[in-house]
Amino acid sequence: KQEVTQIPAALSVPEGENLVLNCSFTDSAIYNLQWFRQDPGKGLTSLLLIQSSQREQTSGRLNASLDKSSGRSTLYIAASQPGDSATYLCAVSGNTPLVFGKGTRLSVIA
Amino acid sequence: DVKVTQSSRYLVKRTGEKVFLECVQDMDHENMFWYRQDPGLGLRLIYFSYDVKMKEKGDIPEGYSVSREKKERFSLILESASTNQTSMYLCASSFKGPDNEQFFGPGTRLTVL
């Protein structure tokens, strides 16, 4: 059964710092990996989708990479801002619907 | 832009009541999903549907049922609400196939007293 792990569970950084969030999964037979952002009490906003044949995707200050063979993905956030404070979740799609990690709660301190 | 809407942001119900949570999407998506999210447990899949009148059990279907009479609408039903069903409920949709992006609604915070 697919398991998705996100480390660390929480992260606090000063404004302007570049940071990396990690996601690992146990079964490399995936179709894609999706990164989401969730603000407190709200739904999930899709940030990036990486298909299994791709190595990375970029959107603005965000860059997500995928190493399917090792079961890892990273989300890189450049020049972090207080508005980036949120919980970031990764999820993988395989023979079952999306399986989610428990998220990394990010705080960017001004 | 894809829009997924949920009927209520906040809902308070009493134990034993029948509860309906509605989800509507406007992008002609074939797939629709219901999740619940709890602290420490993350998102867990309750039910999903790949087409009208189709439904599949997710990881935690006990105590829930669903209805998909129209393509754009997916309803989650709590036949007899219990306090352990107090949670955040999230609906999502996507195009057909397992490799398409999922889009989420704003969530319904349900409290069962």
Side-chain angles (χ1 to χ4, degrees), chain A residues 32 34 38 41 43 46 93 102, chain B residues 9 37 40 98-99 101-102 106:
Chain A
N32 62 42
Q34 206 167 341
Q38 186 176 31
S46 179
S93 170
K102 292 183 181 176
Chain B
R9 290 299 316 277
Q37 185 178 31
D99 56 345
E101 191 173 3
Q102 277 194 27

Side-chain angles (χ1 to χ4, degrees), chain B residues 47-64:
Chain B
Y47 267 98
F48 58 103
S49 169
Y50 288 146
D51 204 346
V52 176
K53 297 198 186 288
M54 291 182 65
K55 60 183 179 184
E56 299 283 345
K57 292 180 180 179
D59 298 319
I60 51 163
E62 298 79 18
Y64 303 94

Side-chain angles (χ1 to χ4, degrees), chain B residues 82-105:
Chain B
S82 64
T83 56
N84 63 13
Q85 292 179 309
T86 291
S87 187
M88 171 71 110
Y89 289 88
L90 293 161
C91 174
S93 69
S94 71
F95 284 116
K96 192 168 156 182
D99 56 345
N100 287 303
E101 191 173 3
Q102 277 194 27
F103 295 89
F104 279 77

